[in-house]
Amino acid sequence: QVHFVESGGGLVQPGGSLRLSCAASGSISSIYVMGWYRQAPGKQRERVAIITGGGVTNYADAVKGRFTISRDNAKNTVYLQMNSLKPEDTAVYYCNAVPITGWGQGTQVTVSS
């Protein structure tokens, strides 16, 4: 069973950028869909972006045009490039496969001036 470790979060000012990484414990080549999710304080966890093995992506309306999900199967890593960050992007970000079987600790992203 593959598990994932998120990293790359931190404190950034509005308008700034961060790149999150999701390192898998094993090969992700056979995982058809990978996704990034986030949970803000007091809110439910929501899907941010997904990517298929063929490179097809889908984004939540709130992040369209600002976030980019990608995957490097050779490195067993999934990325989330976040640009033009807004305070409302503040959340703990998680990655996972689809179907989801569990959650890791995530990585905290705080957007504040």
Side-chain angles (χ1 to χ4, degrees):
Q1 179 67 42
V2 177
H3 65 271
F4 309 98
V5 178
E6 302 91 344
S7 64
L11 175 64
V12 64
Q13 295 189 70
S17 299
L18 285 172
R19 188 180 75 159
L20 307 184
S21 297
C22 171
S25 63
S27 175
I28 63 169
S29 297
S30 63
I31 301 177
Y32 185 57
V33 181
M34 290 290 302
W36 281 96
Y37 303 76
R38 69 184 182 186
Q39 186 168 25
K43 296 184 178 181
Q44 296 292 310
R45 183 180 279 121
E46 65 177 346
R47 186 173 67 193
V48 174
I50 57 171
I51 184 168
T52 72
V56 177
T57 59
N58 184 264
Y59 299 91
D61 288 343
V63 307
K64 286 181 179 177
R66 300 188 297 117
F67 290 12
T68 303
I69 186 172
S70 61
R71 60 193 291 171
D72 187 336
N73 290 346
K75 296 182 178 180
N76 297 322
T77 303
V78 183
Y79 303 97
L80 185 68
Q81 178 67 46
M82 306 185 296
N83 299 324
S84 301
L85 283 162
K86 304 175 180 179
E88 50 263 47
D89 294 319
T90 296
V92 178
Y93 285 72
Y94 305 85
C95 69
N96 220 316
V98 179
I100 296 170
T101 58
W103 299 98
Q105 293 186 351
T107 185
Q108 176 72 49
V109 172
T110 302
V111 184
S112 177
S113 60

